[in-house]
Amino acid sequence: MPDLQATLEDLLRQAVAAALGPEHAQVDPQLRPAGQPQFGDYQANLAMSLAKQLGRKPRDLAQAIVDHLHGEGLIERADVAGPGFINLRLTQAALDHAAAAMLDSATLGVEPASPSLRVVVDYSSPNVAKEMHVGHLRSTVIGDAIARLLGFLGHEVIRQNHLGDWGTQFGMLIEHYLDSGAQPGELARDIADLTTFYQQAKQKFDADPAFADRARQRVVALQSGDPDTLSLWRELIDASYRHFRQVYERLDVLLDENDIRGESFYNDQLPHVIEDLERVGLLRESQGALVVYPEGFADREGEPLPMIVRKSDGGYLYATTDLAAARYRIDTLGARWIIYVTDARQSQHFAMLFQTLRQAGWASDSVRLDHVAFGAVLGPDRKPFKTRQGGLIRLSDLLDEAEARAMRIVREKGAIDDPGYQRDVAHAIGIGALKYADLASDRIKDYVFDWDRMLALDGNTAPYLQNAYVRIRSIFRKGNLDADHVLPQAIRLAHAAERQLALKLLQFPRVIAATAQSLEPHRLCNYLYELATAYHQFYEQCPVLSAPDDATRDSRLALCELVARTLKQGLSLLGIDVVEQM
């Protein structure tokens, strides 16, 4: 599929080189879709910055560029406007051809990434023996969207669920389990029971010094590989896995048990991390603990900021495990890009981790390291989203309510009689609304959780996009037409609304590339919302089944099908399903 914007950028560079000399051939054309369609399809703002450098009038410079611009067959008109903007209008033939090529492409014109990389995406990361809560929603949803997007671009994506499955808490959990008189194999299968069980164990640990001592001794037994202790630990792990799997399935998240690699996996590698840090000269002692001082980090007094890798009692920390995990991902998994999806409070930790990996020589410049930070989910009071009693909201309860609210919408619309299909549609709408509300906001910012807004059928919501898809499918059902038989070459963009819709469609490959580069899913969400809005404007102005002639009808059907495929593909990359009816 021809990239019209890329072709225009090349033509503008050639015009600049012809007008000003070859030394300016690599200038940024500053080309973007035009904000006001009556002036053109694209606008280039390069004349203003060039004029400042060269000491010339921007408008005169813009005219010189236009005079040397050659785009026969592609550019219908090139005008200079205002202080020196260059407005470009494309020929209908070029737009027709590009839209047809997009519809004819299995990937909607999206080219595979070059080079294709092996990418590790670390996301979700709940703790064993605790139920998943609303705090796990953002990492899970954002991480899954990024993994889907990079996979679509042809990268080899390795998902990693870095579970908290090791540490002191397991000593107290196992001891409490034994105190209960339960026999091996009797551990509760319901994670909700485990959550209560954890709270009871923690209370006992804080209140009973003798129990706390036994719990610490049990940790030593666990870390030394005592078979009975490991067997009990495995029961806790298995019970937690069952719960995680149920949540991931309901969320339509691609994580499975093969993606789990908990903290325990790296336990025997931690001493080697310490040895190797000492070997490369980065290890220092501070008050009995072993630390690293990554370059560029200081405390409030301006003193070098330490990253502790081994406590004074010999225990290891998250930083040690994260260093071991990163080395494993680079050396064993062969990762050339590692992405960590966690909340913004861990930004400094990951910045120090990345710097340490670079200084130690464990991550070369050819390995890209990204921390995908995100803000908090807030309640209507703009405080962390919690239950009325002040506790964390269970993720399973949130999913239940999303589907229940969506079911009420489905039943109110009354378009579906089949109870089974009603449930499927309610699931797609409810879970889709929940995920999209998270993804559509700039991830670094906090967002306010609002059921009414996220389930609305208008505005930038998943139901609005799903409804646009449904509207297209209803056209084909009403006409008794098979969407697979539309002809790409039938596209003829004669009406202004058709033209604007096609221009928006043709932005899809660039939006995908930009979203993948920035790791900001809201860019794709905003595009899909703009596309759906452009489609509704087209729908209101351009009759499809009652078009004035067969050629116009076939063209508009093809354009509708292209919108449907683009919406479906875009939502799929966000982990959201479409439905045929609502």
Side-chain angles (χ1 to χ4, degrees), residues 95-106:
L95 275 179
D96 291 347
H97 175 68
M102 183 176 178
L103 181 55
D104 205 33
S105 165

Side-chain angles (χ1 to χ4, degrees), residues 479-529:
N480 196 26
L481 299 167
D482 187 345
D484 291 335
H485 293 164
V486 298
L487 300 174
Q489 62 270 28
I491 294 178
R492 297 291 182 270
L493 305 167
H495 194 283
E498 296 173 334
R499 185 182 187 89
Q500 290 308 305
L501 181 55
L503 285 165
K504 180 57 64 175
L505 282 162
L506 293 172
Q507 294 174 21
F508 182 67
R510 282 184 168 249
V511 170
I512 293 298
T515 304
Q517 180 61 28
S518 65
L519 303 176
E520 294 174 333
H522 76 276
R523 293 180 181 233
L524 176 55
C525 294
N526 290 341
Y527 166 79
L528 294 174
Y529 172 59

Side-chain angles (χ1 to χ4, degrees), residues 204-221:
K204 189 185 295 187
F205 184 87
D206 292 339
D208 185 344
F211 176 82
D213 286 341
R214 284 192 287 120
R216 294 188 186 98
Q217 293 169 13
R218 182 64 63 177
V219 173
V220 174

Side-chain angles (χ1 to χ4, degrees), residues 234-308:
R234 173 50 60 186
E235 285 190 53
L236 289 166
I237 302 296
D238 290 344
S240 299
Y241 282 2
R242 286 191 292 273
H243 164 67
F244 300 151
R245 183 169 58 249
Q246 292 169 358
V247 172
Y248 293 145
E249 287 176 355
R250 291 188 67 190
L251 268 174
D252 300 320
V253 164
L254 299 180
L255 285 171
D256 61 31
E257 291 187 18
N258 295 322
D259 302 320
I260 291 173
R261 207 171 299 278
E263 294 173 358
S264 60
F265 177 83
Y266 305 102
N267 190 55
D268 60 354
Q269 301 174 34
L270 303 184
H272 301 298
V273 169
I274 302 301
E275 293 168 6
D276 291 345
L277 285 171
E278 184 172 23
R279 185 160 40 249
V280 297
L282 293 181
L283 205 60
R284 301 288 185 271
E285 185 174 341
S286 176
Q287 300 179 5
L290 297 179
V291 305
V292 173
Y293 291 100
E295 293 175 0
F297 295 90
D299 61 20
R300 293 179 180 177
E301 286 72 41
E303 297 297 320
L305 189 65
M307 183 172 74
I308 303 174

